[in-house]
Short mmCIF file of all heavy atoms in Angstrom, two decimals:
data_model
loop_
_atom_site.label_atom_id
_atom_site.label_comp_id
_atom_site.label_asym_id
_atom_site.label_seq_id
_atom_site.Cartn_x
_atom_site.Cartn_y
_atom_site.Cartn_z
N LEU A 26 3.18 12.85 -2.18
CA LEU A 26 4.03 12.62 -3.35
C LEU A 26 4.22 11.13 -3.62
O LEU A 26 4.15 10.69 -4.77
CB LEU A 26 5.39 13.29 -3.13
CG LEU A 26 5.42 14.82 -3.15
CD1 LEU A 26 6.81 15.33 -2.78
CD2 LEU A 26 5.02 15.36 -4.52
N VAL A 27 4.44 10.36 -2.57
CA VAL A 27 4.67 8.92 -2.75
C VAL A 27 3.39 8.22 -3.19
O VAL A 27 3.43 7.31 -4.02
CB VAL A 27 5.22 8.30 -1.44
CG1 VAL A 27 5.24 6.79 -1.53
CG2 VAL A 27 6.61 8.84 -1.16
N THR A 28 2.25 8.66 -2.68
CA THR A 28 0.98 8.10 -3.13
C THR A 28 0.79 8.35 -4.63
O THR A 28 0.39 7.45 -5.38
CB THR A 28 -0.19 8.72 -2.35
OG1 THR A 28 -0.05 8.41 -0.95
CG2 THR A 28 -1.53 8.18 -2.83
N SER A 29 1.09 9.57 -5.07
CA SER A 29 0.98 9.88 -6.50
C SER A 29 1.98 9.08 -7.32
O SER A 29 1.67 8.65 -8.45
CB SER A 29 1.22 11.38 -6.73
OG SER A 29 0.22 12.16 -6.10
N LEU A 30 3.17 8.84 -6.77
CA LEU A 30 4.19 8.07 -7.48
C LEU A 30 3.71 6.63 -7.69
O LEU A 30 3.85 6.07 -8.79
CB LEU A 30 5.50 8.08 -6.71
CG LEU A 30 6.63 7.26 -7.31
CD1 LEU A 30 7.04 7.80 -8.68
CD2 LEU A 30 7.84 7.23 -6.37
N VAL A 31 3.17 6.00 -6.65
CA VAL A 31 2.68 4.63 -6.78
C VAL A 31 1.53 4.57 -7.77
O VAL A 31 1.42 3.62 -8.56
CB VAL A 31 2.25 4.08 -5.40
CG1 VAL A 31 1.60 2.71 -5.55
CG2 VAL A 31 3.44 3.99 -4.46
N GLN A 32 0.70 5.59 -7.78
CA GLN A 32 -0.46 5.60 -8.66
C GLN A 32 -0.08 5.82 -10.12
O GLN A 32 -0.58 5.14 -11.02
CB GLN A 32 -1.44 6.68 -8.21
CG GLN A 32 -2.75 6.71 -8.99
CD GLN A 32 -3.74 7.70 -8.41
OE1 GLN A 32 -3.41 8.48 -7.52
NE2 GLN A 32 -4.95 7.68 -8.91
N HIS A 33 0.84 6.79 -10.37
CA HIS A 33 1.16 7.18 -11.75
C HIS A 33 2.54 6.71 -12.22
O HIS A 33 2.84 6.80 -13.41
CB HIS A 33 1.08 8.70 -11.88
CG HIS A 33 -0.25 9.27 -11.50
ND1 HIS A 33 -1.39 9.05 -12.23
CD2 HIS A 33 -0.63 10.04 -10.43
CE1 HIS A 33 -2.42 9.67 -11.67
NE2 HIS A 33 -1.98 10.26 -10.57
N GLU A 34 3.41 6.29 -11.29
CA GLU A 34 4.76 5.78 -11.57
C GLU A 34 5.74 6.85 -12.04
O GLU A 34 6.90 6.55 -12.29
CB GLU A 34 4.73 4.61 -12.56
CG GLU A 34 3.91 3.44 -12.04
CD GLU A 34 4.39 2.10 -12.56
OE1 GLU A 34 5.50 2.03 -13.10
OE2 GLU A 34 3.65 1.13 -12.39
N SER A 35 5.31 8.08 -12.20
CA SER A 35 6.20 9.17 -12.56
C SER A 35 5.55 10.48 -12.15
O SER A 35 4.40 10.73 -12.48
CB SER A 35 6.47 9.17 -14.06
OG SER A 35 7.31 10.25 -14.42
N ILE A 36 6.29 11.30 -11.40
CA ILE A 36 5.76 12.60 -10.97
C ILE A 36 6.84 13.66 -11.16
O ILE A 36 8.04 13.36 -11.16
CB ILE A 36 5.30 12.60 -9.49
CG1 ILE A 36 6.47 12.23 -8.56
CG2 ILE A 36 4.13 11.68 -9.29
CD1 ILE A 36 6.13 12.37 -7.09
N GLN A 37 6.42 14.90 -11.35
CA GLN A 37 7.34 16.02 -11.46
C GLN A 37 7.14 16.95 -10.27
O GLN A 37 6.02 17.32 -9.95
CB GLN A 37 7.14 16.80 -12.76
CG GLN A 37 8.17 17.91 -12.96
CD GLN A 37 8.07 18.57 -14.32
OE1 GLN A 37 7.06 18.46 -14.99
NE2 GLN A 37 9.12 19.25 -14.73
N THR A 38 8.23 17.32 -9.64
CA THR A 38 8.18 18.22 -8.49
C THR A 38 9.53 18.94 -8.41
O THR A 38 10.32 18.87 -9.34
CB THR A 38 7.86 17.44 -7.20
OG1 THR A 38 7.77 18.34 -6.10
CG2 THR A 38 8.92 16.39 -6.90
N THR A 39 9.79 19.61 -7.30
CA THR A 39 11.09 20.26 -7.16
C THR A 39 12.15 19.22 -6.79
O THR A 39 11.83 18.15 -6.26
CB THR A 39 11.04 21.37 -6.10
OG1 THR A 39 10.73 20.79 -4.82
CG2 THR A 39 10.01 22.42 -6.45
N TRP A 40 13.40 19.57 -7.03
CA TRP A 40 14.51 18.64 -6.76
C TRP A 40 14.57 18.23 -5.28
O TRP A 40 14.65 17.03 -4.99
CB TRP A 40 15.81 19.27 -7.22
CG TRP A 40 17.05 18.57 -6.78
CD1 TRP A 40 17.87 18.89 -5.74
CD2 TRP A 40 17.63 17.39 -7.36
NE1 TRP A 40 18.91 18.02 -5.64
CE2 TRP A 40 18.79 17.10 -6.62
CE3 TRP A 40 17.28 16.59 -8.44
CZ2 TRP A 40 19.60 16.01 -6.92
CZ3 TRP A 40 18.09 15.51 -8.74
CH2 TRP A 40 19.24 15.22 -7.99
N PRO A 41 14.52 19.16 -4.31
CA PRO A 41 14.58 18.73 -2.91
C PRO A 41 13.42 17.83 -2.51
O PRO A 41 13.61 16.83 -1.79
CB PRO A 41 14.55 20.06 -2.12
CG PRO A 41 15.02 21.09 -3.09
CD PRO A 41 14.52 20.64 -4.42
N LYS A 42 12.21 18.13 -2.97
CA LYS A 42 11.06 17.29 -2.65
C LYS A 42 11.21 15.90 -3.26
O LYS A 42 10.87 14.89 -2.63
CB LYS A 42 9.77 17.94 -3.15
CG LYS A 42 9.35 19.20 -2.40
CD LYS A 42 8.10 19.79 -3.02
CE LYS A 42 7.75 21.13 -2.38
NZ LYS A 42 6.59 21.76 -3.04
N ALA A 43 11.71 15.85 -4.49
CA ALA A 43 11.90 14.56 -5.16
C ALA A 43 12.90 13.69 -4.41
O ALA A 43 12.69 12.48 -4.24
CB ALA A 43 12.36 14.77 -6.60
N LYS A 44 13.99 14.28 -3.93
CA LYS A 44 15.02 13.51 -3.21
C LYS A 44 14.49 12.98 -1.88
O LYS A 44 14.81 11.86 -1.48
CB LYS A 44 16.26 14.38 -2.99
CG LYS A 44 17.01 14.75 -4.25
CD LYS A 44 17.50 13.53 -5.00
CE LYS A 44 18.63 12.82 -4.28
NZ LYS A 44 19.16 11.68 -5.07
N GLU A 45 13.68 13.77 -1.19
CA GLU A 45 13.12 13.30 0.07
C GLU A 45 12.02 12.27 -0.15
O GLU A 45 11.93 11.28 0.58
CB GLU A 45 12.57 14.49 0.88
CG GLU A 45 13.65 15.37 1.46
CD GLU A 45 14.61 14.60 2.36
OE1 GLU A 45 14.15 13.92 3.29
OE2 GLU A 45 15.83 14.68 2.12
N ALA A 46 11.18 12.49 -1.17
CA ALA A 46 10.14 11.50 -1.48
C ALA A 46 10.75 10.19 -1.95
O ALA A 46 10.19 9.11 -1.71
CB ALA A 46 9.20 12.06 -2.54
N GLN A 47 11.91 10.26 -2.58
CA GLN A 47 12.59 9.06 -3.04
C GLN A 47 12.94 8.14 -1.88
O GLN A 47 12.78 6.92 -1.97
CB GLN A 47 13.85 9.43 -3.81
CG GLN A 47 14.60 8.25 -4.39
CD GLN A 47 15.87 8.65 -5.11
OE1 GLN A 47 16.54 9.62 -4.73
NE2 GLN A 47 16.21 7.95 -6.17
N ARG A 48 13.37 8.72 -0.79
CA ARG A 48 13.72 7.91 0.39
C ARG A 48 12.50 7.15 0.91
O ARG A 48 12.58 5.96 1.25
CB ARG A 48 14.29 8.81 1.48
CG ARG A 48 15.57 9.51 1.09
CD ARG A 48 15.97 10.59 2.07
NE ARG A 48 16.28 10.05 3.38
CZ ARG A 48 16.73 10.79 4.40
NH1 ARG A 48 16.91 12.09 4.24
NH2 ARG A 48 17.01 10.23 5.55
N MET A 49 11.35 7.82 0.96
CA MET A 49 10.13 7.17 1.44
C MET A 49 9.64 6.12 0.45
O MET A 49 9.16 5.05 0.86
CB MET A 49 9.04 8.22 1.70
CG MET A 49 7.77 7.65 2.31
SD MET A 49 6.52 8.90 2.70
CE MET A 49 7.27 9.68 4.13
N ALA A 50 9.79 6.39 -0.84
CA ALA A 50 9.35 5.43 -1.86
C ALA A 50 10.20 4.16 -1.81
O ALA A 50 9.68 3.05 -1.96
CB ALA A 50 9.42 6.08 -3.24
N GLU A 51 11.50 4.32 -1.61
CA GLU A 51 12.38 3.14 -1.49
C GLU A 51 11.98 2.29 -0.29
O GLU A 51 11.95 1.06 -0.36
CB GLU A 51 13.83 3.60 -1.37
CG GLU A 51 14.39 4.34 -2.58
CD GLU A 51 14.89 3.41 -3.67
OE1 GLU A 51 15.22 2.26 -3.36
OE2 GLU A 51 14.95 3.84 -4.83
N LYS A 52 11.67 2.95 0.81
CA LYS A 52 11.23 2.23 2.01
C LYS A 52 9.93 1.49 1.75
O LYS A 52 9.73 0.36 2.21
CB LYS A 52 11.04 3.23 3.16
CG LYS A 52 10.49 2.62 4.43
CD LYS A 52 10.27 3.68 5.50
CE LYS A 52 9.63 3.08 6.74
NZ LYS A 52 9.36 4.12 7.78
N LEU A 53 9.03 2.10 0.98
CA LEU A 53 7.74 1.49 0.69
C LEU A 53 7.91 0.21 -0.12
O LEU A 53 7.23 -0.80 0.14
CB LEU A 53 6.87 2.49 -0.07
CG LEU A 53 5.37 2.18 -0.19
CD1 LEU A 53 4.72 2.15 1.17
CD2 LEU A 53 4.69 3.21 -1.07
N ILE A 54 8.82 0.23 -1.10
CA ILE A 54 9.06 -0.98 -1.91
C ILE A 54 9.68 -2.07 -1.04
O ILE A 54 9.37 -3.26 -1.19
CB ILE A 54 9.95 -0.66 -3.12
CG1 ILE A 54 9.25 0.32 -4.05
CG2 ILE A 54 10.29 -1.94 -3.87
CD1 ILE A 54 7.95 -0.18 -4.63
N THR A 55 10.56 -1.68 -0.11
CA THR A 55 11.15 -2.67 0.80
C THR A 55 10.07 -3.33 1.65
O THR A 55 10.10 -4.55 1.88
CB THR A 55 12.19 -1.99 1.71
OG1 THR A 55 13.21 -1.39 0.90
CG2 THR A 55 12.83 -3.00 2.66
N LEU A 56 9.10 -2.55 2.10
CA LEU A 56 7.98 -3.11 2.86
C LEU A 56 7.18 -4.08 1.99
O LEU A 56 6.77 -5.15 2.46
CB LEU A 56 7.06 -1.98 3.35
CG LEU A 56 7.63 -1.05 4.43
CD1 LEU A 56 6.66 0.10 4.68
CD2 LEU A 56 7.88 -1.81 5.73
N ALA A 57 6.97 -3.72 0.73
CA ALA A 57 6.21 -4.59 -0.17
C ALA A 57 6.94 -5.92 -0.39
O ALA A 57 6.30 -6.98 -0.47
CB ALA A 57 5.99 -3.89 -1.51
N LYS A 58 8.26 -5.90 -0.46
CA LYS A 58 9.02 -7.13 -0.70
C LYS A 58 8.98 -8.05 0.51
O LYS A 58 9.09 -9.27 0.36
CB LYS A 58 10.47 -6.78 -1.06
CG LYS A 58 10.59 -6.11 -2.43
CD LYS A 58 12.01 -5.66 -2.72
CE LYS A 58 12.95 -6.82 -2.90
NZ LYS A 58 14.30 -6.39 -3.31
N ARG A 59 8.79 -7.49 1.71
CA ARG A 59 8.66 -8.34 2.90
C ARG A 59 7.33 -9.09 2.89
O ARG A 59 7.25 -10.22 3.34
CB ARG A 59 8.78 -7.48 4.16
CG ARG A 59 10.17 -6.91 4.38
CD ARG A 59 10.20 -6.00 5.58
NE ARG A 59 11.51 -5.36 5.73
CZ ARG A 59 11.75 -4.36 6.56
NH1 ARG A 59 10.77 -3.87 7.33
NH2 ARG A 59 12.97 -3.83 6.62
N ASN A 60 6.28 -8.42 2.44
CA ASN A 60 4.99 -9.05 2.20
C ASN A 60 4.44 -9.81 3.42
O ASN A 60 4.12 -11.00 3.33
CB ASN A 60 5.08 -9.99 0.99
CG ASN A 60 3.71 -10.37 0.47
OD1 ASN A 60 2.75 -9.64 0.62
ND2 ASN A 60 3.62 -11.54 -0.15
N ASN A 61 4.36 -9.13 4.55
CA ASN A 61 3.72 -9.72 5.72
C ASN A 61 2.73 -8.72 6.31
O ASN A 61 2.59 -7.60 5.84
CB ASN A 61 4.77 -10.14 6.76
CG ASN A 61 5.71 -9.02 7.14
OD1 ASN A 61 5.31 -7.86 7.27
ND2 ASN A 61 6.99 -9.35 7.31
N THR A 62 2.05 -9.13 7.37
CA THR A 62 1.01 -8.28 7.96
C THR A 62 1.59 -6.98 8.48
O THR A 62 1.00 -5.90 8.31
CB THR A 62 0.31 -9.03 9.10
OG1 THR A 62 -0.22 -10.26 8.59
CG2 THR A 62 -0.83 -8.20 9.67
N THR A 63 2.75 -7.05 9.12
CA THR A 63 3.37 -5.84 9.68
C THR A 63 3.72 -4.84 8.58
O THR A 63 3.49 -3.64 8.72
CB THR A 63 4.64 -6.21 10.46
OG1 THR A 63 4.32 -7.16 11.48
CG2 THR A 63 5.26 -4.97 11.10
#
């Protein structure tokens, strides 16, 4: 789900899946803002 979100910037799914994928997507953007090898 998160891979599709980064690729298309908008996805439709069920409410529980969207809420859980949201947590992972937020973490992914935080990783991008750190911008280091790790």
